[in-house]
């Protein structure tokens, strides 16, 4: 019972870490696209 809860918590924590990494990469890609390609294309 206790170990099952720990497993669930670790699983949710792992999913949360993966989601944060994906979101962080998306934000970085958006910033790079906006800062580098935006001025070249003349639009945001």
């Amino acid at each position: 019972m206790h170990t099952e809860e720990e497993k669930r918590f670790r699983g949710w924590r792992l999913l949360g870490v993966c989601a944060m990494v994906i979101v962080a990469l998306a934000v970085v890609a958006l910033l790079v696209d906006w800062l580098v390609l935006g001025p070249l294309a003349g639009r945001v």
Side-chain angles (χ1 to χ4, degrees), residues 10-34:
R10 284 177 63 186
W12 281 113
R13 188 176 175 187
L14 181 63
L15 283 176
V17 170
C18 288
M20 286 197 319
V21 168
I22 290 169
V23 169
L25 287 174
V27 169
V28 170
L30 181 67
L31 284 173
V32 169
D33 183 44
W34 181 55

Side-chain angles (χ1 to χ4, degrees), residues 2-14:
H2 190 260
T3 53
E4 195 176 315
E5 281 181 16
E6 282 181 0
K7 250 189 198 177
R8 256 181 84 191
F9 176 71
R10 284 177 63 186
W12 281 113
R13 188 176 175 187
L14 181 63

